Amino acid sequence: MRQGEGMITVERLTRKYGSFTAVDDISFVCQPGRVTGFLGPNGAGKTTTMRVMVGLTPPTSGQVTIGGHHYHDIPNPGRHVGVLLDASAQHAGRTGREILELGARTMGLPASRVDEMLELVSLTPTEAKRRLRNYSLGMKQRLGIAHALLGDPSVLILDEPANGLDPAGIRWMRGLLKGYAERGGTVLLSSHLLHEVEQIADEMILIGHGRIVAQGDKKSLLAGAASGAASFVTALDNEALTKALEAKGIGVSAAGEGLRVETETVEIGRTALESGIVLTDLRAADGGLEDLFLELTSQTQREAVAS
Amino acid sequence: MTAATLDVSGTTATPFQRLVRVELRKSYDTRAGFWLLATIGLLVLAAEVIAVSVTAAQDEPMSFGDFVGTAAFLTSFLLPVLGIMLVTTEWSQRSAMVTFSLEPRRPLVIAAKALVGVLLTLATVVFSIVVGFVANLAYGLFQGDTDWTFGWPDFFAFLITQVLAMLGGFALAALLLNTAAAIVVFFVYKWVLPGLLALGGALMGWFETLRPWIDFQSSQAAIWDWSTSGEEWAQLVVSAIVWLVVPLTIGIWRVLRAEVK
Ligand SMILES: Nc1ncnc2c1ncn2[C@@H]1O[C@H](COP(=O)(O)OP(=O)(O)O)[C@@H](O)[C@H]1O
Ligand SMILES: [Mg+2]
């Protein structure tokens, strides 16, 4: 399968550890101007894939190119690709400012860039003077994002950047990355939590047990799972509605005040109209994507066990 | 869809001297690093103060070279630790992930670290000589006469043996990638092994002929003596290959291939 070429191109990538396959023949692309969410449960192979991208882990087979280059061949790579793989992987005895200072010096950037980045991620001068061992996880993530953005790169690779951020921090990051992509940047960010990704990502890659189980934008992913569509409905006469729906062969179960119905909202509305039943609440079941996510990733789990 | 490309033609690769400056900064920008360097300096100072007061009080004859030798003896303990820390902290603190992301040409990073080790060793040697000079002046003040015996051969021997000590630690650190293990192995080979080898040589005649070829510490005497024996220099080279070149080569090979976690 050959997809449209993007800024980050993963081609038939496989990484094995002994007989265990952490990443199993995966291919995908990340387009410039878009945020690509890399979603999968713990141990799915997200980190391994991202580590291969930046040359920290050699692939068993396949390759990754960024803008047509292998990472190793990009001169002064921090100026082109911003990387945050593990916010804690820094010397615990260095101050936040010193960590950025070292990065800026390695990349040959002026010292003013350090202050700009500290300001961007809202680390105060006092916080920047503290040593990393005294940082909360959220502060480490902010520092890591500042480090990734230091060289003003056009590609960002972020592994679980929302981990440890408070809700305000997550919203801030969402705005930051959206703006970054709107200016033409390419963003790949991973997460094991759907809700962290679904609002930021234009494009989603779902991975489970080393394999890509689905990819596309939110709409097309949901469309692909249309058979699993469900709705919540409450009527003045729930019993009558249940009968009417069951008469059409549609699954109904009790859910709190109302009912959970295994069909789309339009079908429920039509049934209610036909039977003259008054509805007080009708909506598509939230977490349709969540169900899909769980279903797809657990499915590969069963496959992996069976094989 | 067309291929998106990164235009890297306008970016120059990170110059080596910039890597060296960053690695130098990393050697003192943490408490551990700073205090290791400070300890080297303070120990040299303290030792010279003691040496001056004891020898002057006891009327022991001392020369400039003796004072510098005192410092050299002490720094030969700590410079290997310096060489070890330059390498292993990247692993214990996991900052190697960032270092190698910003400079994927790992051999250059290793070379920059080794050069920083040599530069800091040079600084230590210069500091020891300055302190030794002052100590000898002070000794002269108490004793009335001063002996300035310390020639260039001694200076270079001092320099070379200190660099070898530092690199010995560096090599074991690259091989083991663990601070404690590298320090233990280094001190075993520097202080325990020569004794064991001598014992082995005393017990087994055949071993006595082999011993000079694998005892890196004893073979360094050739440097201090500026030996004219080709065989002694050959023994130095062979033992250096065993204790320096082999671990360094395997260590570098390991670092280049390592999956940095
Ligand atoms: N060095 C390694 N040796 C053995 N197994 C590994 C190694 N690194 C990762 N793995 C395994 O590979 C799988 C994928 O890990 P990872 O990429 O970290 O997953 P994720 O980031 O999606 O949580 C996990 O089962 C993990 O235990
Ligand atoms: Mg991970």
Side-chain angles (χ1 to χ4, degrees), chain A residues 5 17 31 51 55-57 67 69 71 76-77 80 86 89-92 94 98 105-107 131 154, chain B residues 1-2 4-7 11 14 18 22 25-26 29-31 93-94 97-98 101-102 104 106 259-260:
Chain A
E5 282 182 83
Y17 291 104
Q31 310 290 348
R51 292 168 50 80
L56 292 176
T57 291
H69 311 272
Y71 188 84
N76 202 353
H80 297 284
D86 183 343
Q90 288 280 9
H91 197 299
R94 289 200 176 105
E98 178 64 18
R105 281 169 190 248
T106 309
M107 290 182 239
R131 291 173 197 274
S154 49
Chain B
M1 200 164 293
T2 54
T5 51
L6 270 183
D7 181 12
T11 321
T14 312
R18 205 156 78 201
V22 169
R25 189 177 168 105
K26 283 191 200 169
D29 75 350
T30 62
R31 281 203 191 127
Q93 298 286 332
R94 299 170 56 233
M97 271 172 76
V98 174
S101 300
L102 289 183
R106 298 185 190 180
E259 202 190 2
V260 190

Side-chain angles (χ1 to χ4, degrees), chain A residues 1-306:
Chain A
M1 179 181 61
R2 178 91 188 158
Q3 290 134 336
E5 282 182 83
M7 186 57 107
I8 303 176
T9 308
V10 179
E11 287 170 280
R12 308 212 57 176
L13 180 70
T14 298
R15 169 70 209 201
K16 290 186 181 169
Y17 291 104
S19 61
F20 175 73
T21 309
V23 174
D24 191 1
D25 193 21
I26 67 170
S27 302
F28 64 87
V29 297
C30 305
Q31 310 290 348
R34 294 177 83 81
V35 178
T36 305
F38 195 23
L39 192 61
N42 293 321
K46 305 179 296 292
T47 302
T48 306
T49 304
M50 292 174 130
R51 292 168 50 80
V52 171
M53 286 180 180
V54 300
L56 292 176
T57 291
T60 304
S61 66
Q63 65 164 359
V64 180
T65 52
I66 301 178
H69 311 272
H70 290 125
Y71 188 84
H72 186 274
D73 299 327
I74 302 175
N76 202 353
R79 300 297 298 271
H80 297 284
V81 184
V83 179
L84 171 57
L85 287 183
D86 183 343
S88 304
Q90 288 280 9
H91 197 299
R94 289 200 176 105
T95 65
R97 162 172 279 280
E98 178 64 18
I99 284 168
L100 294 187
E101 187 78 46
L102 289 174
R105 281 169 190 248
T106 309
M107 290 182 239
L109 303 167
S112 59
R113 190 73 189 152
V114 172
D115 296 295
E116 283 169 36
M117 289 302 107
L118 284 171
E119 189 157 337
L120 180 74
V121 302
S122 312
L123 282 173
T124 65
T126 342
E127 288 170 333
K129 270 189 224 140
R130 282 187 214 148
R131 291 173 197 274
L132 193 81
R133 70 166 60 86
N134 300 321
Y135 274 32
S136 67
L137 182 55
M139 287 165 76
K140 283 184 199 165
Q141 293 287 19
R142 284 172 186 272
L143 186 73
I145 291 169
H147 196 277
L149 289 169
L150 260 179
D152 194 19
S154 49
V155 179
L156 274 183
I157 296 174
L158 311 172
D159 193 12
E160 308 257 1
N163 237 0
L165 287 181
D166 52 25
I170 292 180
R171 174 176 290 184
W172 159 78
M173 193 187 67
R174 195 184 299 156
L176 180 84
L177 297 182
K178 276 221 179 288
Y180 180 88
E182 270 157 23
R183 291 190 298 277
T186 309
V187 183
L188 174 64
L189 90 161
S190 73
S191 177
H192 62 280
L193 297 172
L194 176 72
H195 70 86
E196 274 177 7
V197 173
E198 68 180 333
Q199 290 174 55
I200 319 181
D202 304 302
E203 202 76 41
M204 273 192 262
I205 318 271
L206 267 59
I207 183 172
H209 287 263
R211 295 203 180 160
I212 291 182
V213 289
Q215 55 181 312
D217 59 18
K218 197 170 154 184
K219 257 202 203 115
S220 61
L221 280 177
L222 276 176
S227 59
S231 314
F232 287 113
V233 61
T234 313
L236 283 181
D237 187 350
N238 281 335
E239 227 164 278
L241 181 62
T242 306
K243 267 186 200 144
L245 287 166
E246 280 176 345
K248 288 188 170 183
I250 298 167
V252 183
S253 53
E257 297 277 278
L259 307 167
R260 181 188 158 98
V261 185
E262 305 305 320
T263 188
E264 284 167 57
T265 49
V266 56
E267 191 53 40
I268 301 170
R270 187 175 294 129
T271 309
L273 177 68
E274 286 161 7
S275 323
I277 299 170
V278 179
L279 301 183
T280 55
D281 183 26
L282 174 61
R283 62 202 146 84
D286 273 346
L289 212 47
E290 189 109 56
D291 288 346
L292 173 68
F293 176 47
L294 287 174
E295 185 193 323
L296 288 175
T297 50
S298 65
Q299 193 178 332
T300 52
Q301 189 166 358
R302 282 198 297 275
E303 274 171 16
V305 171

Side-chain angles (χ1 to χ4, degrees), chain B residues 184-248:
Chain B
V184 169
V185 173
F186 182 82
F187 282 107
V188 165
Y189 108 63
K190 187 168 169 74
W191 300 101
V192 182
L193 202 64
L196 289 180
L197 292 177
L199 184 68
L203 294 177
M204 297 168 282
W206 63 269
F207 191 71
E208 189 55 25
T209 45
L210 174 69
R211 190 178 65 90
W213 298 93
I214 53 173
D215 186 348
F216 189 36
Q217 297 312 310
S218 318
S219 62
Q220 287 182 38
I223 306 173
W224 284 106
D225 302 341
W226 293 107
S227 167
T228 50
S229 148
E231 189 181 17
E232 282 185 18
W233 287 106
Q235 286 168 348
L236 177 66
V237 169
V238 171
S239 58
I241 288 174
V242 173
W243 289 105
L244 216 56
V245 180
V246 170
L248 198 57

Side-chain angles (χ1 to χ4, degrees), chain B residues 49 52-57 59 135-146:
Chain B
V49 169
V52 169
S53 40
V54 171
T55 53
D59 271 341
N136 202 36
L137 274 184
Y139 178 85
L141 280 181
F142 294 124
Q143 284 290 307
D145 70 318
T146 42

